[in-house]
Each structure stands twice: as C-alpha cells, then as structure tokens.
C-alpha cells in the first residue's frame, strides 16, 4: 500500500512548478494522496486569471487526486474560515495541512534590518507567521486523529544571514509558533512541525537572495552541495505522513547539513590553497 493511500489534505503556497509546496504535493500524490489547493485570488479585472492559471498548470497533472483549486489570501480571516469550510465539504476530514507561504516587500528585504518600517514588518509577520496560526485554527474541525501540519522555515531565523533581514525575524517567530502550536494540538493528536530547507530557486527564494547562498552552501555544507527540490519534497511529505507520527514541534533541517557547521569548513581549505 502506498504511503498516502486514502489520505487527504490541504496544500497552501504553490505559485508555480518551482514552488516547494509543489515539490511536496507531487510526492504526496505520487504516493496516492489527494490534495485540495489554494491560489492567490486574481484581481477582478484580470480576465486571464493568471494566479489561478499558474497553479492549475501544476495540479492539472493529477486530475483524479486534486479535490479543488480555490482562491485564498491568508491575510483575510473571513477567507481562511470560508476556505476551510469549503475544504471540509469537499474533502471531509483531513490528514495533512501544508503551509508554504511567506511574503515581505522587496524593499524591506534589501534595506538593512535596522531600517525596516512598521508597516512592512507587520505585513511580513502577518503573511509569513500569523497565517500559520489562522489556518491551523480554522482547520481544527477537519483534522483526523494523527493529522500533521507542516510549515516551511529557514536557517536565517536561527542565525543572522545578512540579506534575509526582516524575513529572518519572521522565521524565528515561525519556529516558536511551531512549538506552541505543537503543544496546543497535541491533546487532539495533531502534530505541527517545520522543514528548514536549504536555498532553492523559487519566486520567494529569488526575492530573498538565494542565488549567492546556493553557491556558498555548495562550498560549506558537509555534503558539499545544495539540496534539491525533490529532497525537500520527500522530507516534507515524510513529516506530513504517518511515518513521522512520533514527531511534533520539530524543525527538520533539509540543507545538506549546512546548519551544523561552526566554521566555513572546506571553504577555508580552498581559501588557504588559493592564498
Ligand atoms: P514560492 O513558490 O514563491 O511560494 C510562496 C507562496 O506564498 C506563493 O504561492 C505565494 O503566492 C504565497 N503567498 C504569498 N502571500 C500570500 C497570501 N497573502 N496569501 C496566500 N498565499 C500567499 O516560494 P517558496 O520558496 O516555495 O516558498 C515557500 C515557503 O518556503 C516560504 O515560507 C519560504 O520562506 C520557505 N523557504 C524557502 C526557501 C527557498 O530557498 N526557496 C528556503 C527555506 C524556506 P503568489 O506567488 O501567488 O503570490
């Protein structure tokens, strides 16, 4: 029997086929699971419905395992509540919920953290952190015992990664949110974890300066390379599956080991060799 056979859940945060959410959803569906998806609402005057189109190009590849594709802006609680109600009507009880969403104004990512404005800070925290609380709360009536919630985080919330700036503060708050939600949801047998991915080329990743970081990880990480979308996809699917059902409140690093390093490691040897 396949790992997700008979399992149903919700996937939030696919922008296109490079999105981490898509890498995870694909694993789930390849292993027999059924997913309901969201896309960012299209503007009423956008006749081409570009946001919906981008996501539908992905999910249409698995028509029999796609329960729905509906709009959702996680900044609006009324939308989150209505979305979860609709999800319950279409899916019944659910076994997994993936939150793979973050946003900050480009200006706030590129200016020094000390110059972050109040409104940009609130926006980044609202979309990237509070939304996890909101979607978990409104999904509460839907969870089967043993269900799993997973969010996506990054090492820039644990240590200072220049350039990640306000989003680093958001990820630190997200990591703490994982632990508090894990405590709250434990009594109803729902787990809450995060995957801390190494840098991957995605829309959000480019905004956060992934290009340079990938090169650096390749030199410093114990595995001497970056992670792939497929590796992050499999680890995310694992945390959403019953195979991880003794794990909650955990931040699982899928980063070729980069986070364990306390020095630039082999990069130092290369620098010495070049000197
Ligand atoms: P992505 O493909 O750009 O995904 C980000 C998603 O968030 C998009 O689908 C975006 O929708 C959605 N979103 C933004 N604001 C929203 C809102 N108000 N309501 C609903 N959805 C909203 O980039 P990604 O790299 O896969 O990012 C997914 C998660 O992984 C994020 O939490 C990110 O911080 C995290 N992460 C990424 C990396 C990396 O290197 N890429 C590493 C570690 C962690 P639209 O595109 O339609 O606006």
């Amino acid at each position: 029997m396949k790992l997700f056979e008979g399992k149903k859940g919700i996937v939030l945060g696919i922008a296109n086929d490079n999105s981490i959410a898509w890498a995870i959803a694909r694993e789930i569906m390849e292993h027999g699971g059924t997913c309901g998806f969201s896309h960012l609402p299209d503007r009423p005057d956008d006749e081409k419905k570009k946001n919906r189109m981008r996501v539908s190009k992905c999910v249409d590849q698995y028509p029999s395992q796609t329960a729905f594709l509906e709009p959702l802006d996680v900044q609006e609680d009324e939308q989150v509540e209505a979305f979860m109600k609709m999800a319950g009507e279409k899916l019944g009880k659910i076994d997994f919920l993936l939150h793979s969403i973050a946003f900050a104004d480009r200006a706030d990512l590129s200016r020094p953290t000390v110059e972050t404005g109040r409104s940009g800070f609130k926006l980044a925290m609202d979309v990237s952190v509070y939304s996890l609380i909101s979607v978990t709360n409104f999904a509460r009536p839907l969870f089967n015992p043993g269900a799993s919630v997973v969010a996506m985080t990054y090492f820039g919330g644990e240590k200072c990664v220049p350039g990640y700036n306000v989003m680093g503060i958001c990820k630190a708050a997200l990591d703490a949110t994982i632990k508090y939600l894990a405590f709250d949801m434990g009594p109803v047998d729902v787990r809450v974890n995060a995957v801390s991915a190494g840098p991957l080329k995605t829309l959000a990743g480019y905004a956060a300066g992934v290009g340079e970081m990938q090169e650096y990880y390749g030199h410093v990480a114990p595995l001497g390379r970056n992670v792939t979308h497929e590796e992050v996809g499999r680890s995310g699917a694992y945390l959403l599956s019953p195979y991880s059902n003794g794990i909650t409140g955990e931040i699982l690093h899928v980063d070729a080991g980069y986070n364990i390093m306390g020095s630039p490691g082999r990069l130092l040897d290369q620098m010495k060799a070049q000197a």
Side-chain angles (χ1 to χ4, degrees):
M1 183 165 136
K2 289 180 173 176
L3 189 55
F4 281 92
E5 203 79 60
K7 304 283 182 202
K8 294 174 284 180
I10 297 168
V11 173
L12 309 176
I14 297 177
N16 58 34
D17 60 1
N18 285 322
S19 295
I20 293 173
W22 178 236
I24 297 173
R26 213 169 32 201
E27 286 297 327
I28 290 171
M29 294 193 287
E30 286 294 328
H31 288 87
T34 297
C35 301
F37 298 94
S38 68
H39 65 83
L40 210 58
D42 286 291
R43 287 200 323 263
D45 62 344
D46 180 1
E47 282 172 17
K48 291 193 173 154
K49 307 219 173 304
K50 287 199 203 86
N51 290 340
R52 186 185 172 85
M53 280 279 291
R54 284 188 291 154
V55 186
S56 99
K57 272 188 194 158
C58 298
V59 305
D60 287 355
Q61 296 168 41
Y62 293 85
S64 63
Q65 286 159 275
T66 296
F68 58 82
L69 170 59
E70 294 292 338
L72 173 62
D73 180 345
V74 292
Q75 285 192 276
E76 304 293 336
D77 274 339
E78 299 76 26
Q79 285 192 30
V80 179
E81 186 173 16
F83 183 92
M84 291 305 169
K85 193 164 174 278
M86 172 280 302
E89 284 159 10
K90 296 205 170 151
L91 284 171
K93 294 282 180 185
I94 64 169
D95 306 290
F96 57 86
L97 168 60
L98 174 62
H99 173 287
S100 187
I101 288 172
F103 183 79
D105 263 341
R106 261 175 200 267
D108 282 314
L109 288 169
S110 54
R111 65 166 60 104
T113 310
V114 69
E115 292 172 15
T116 309
R118 194 179 298 272
S119 63
F121 184 86
K122 281 185 184 169
L123 171 68
M125 289 289 274
D126 188 26
V127 177
S128 314
V129 187
Y130 181 72
S131 64
L132 177 64
I133 297 176
S134 173
V135 299
T136 305
N137 188 30
F138 285 115
R140 278 199 289 176
L142 307 183
F143 290 125
N144 268 326
S148 172
V149 179
V150 166
M152 294 303 307
T153 189
Y154 177 61
F155 185 64
E158 297 172 55
K159 302 286 179 193
C160 176
V161 177
Y164 204 57
N165 303 1
V166 67
M167 192 49 72
I169 298 172
C170 291
K171 291 307 189 191
L174 185 74
D175 293 357
T177 305
I178 293 292
K179 297 183 179 79
Y180 282 90
L181 291 183
F183 179 78
D184 281 359
M185 300 302 289
V188 289
D189 197 12
V190 174
R191 302 177 295 110
V192 185
N193 293 290
V195 171
S196 180
L200 289 170
K201 286 181 179 145
T202 65
L203 288 179
Y206 280 120
V210 142
E212 289 168 9
M213 287 308 289
Q214 278 196 321
E215 194 180 341
Y216 184 62
Y217 269 59
H219 290 297
V220 176
L223 289 180
R225 63 171 178 82
N226 270 288
V227 285
T228 64
H229 277 74
E230 290 72 22
E231 287 168 332
V232 174
R234 283 195 291 271
S235 299
Y238 158 72
L239 278 182
L240 288 167
S241 83
Y243 268 25
S244 59
N245 64 11
I247 300 176
T248 196
E250 192 68 70
I251 311 289
L252 177 63
H253 293 88
V254 185
D255 63 354
Y258 177 88
N259 74 97
I260 68 159
M261 296 302 293
S263 90
R266 294 185 193 103
L267 186 59
L268 276 182
D269 301 335
Q270 287 175 33
M271 287 162 68
K272 277 188 221 148
Q274 281 166 10

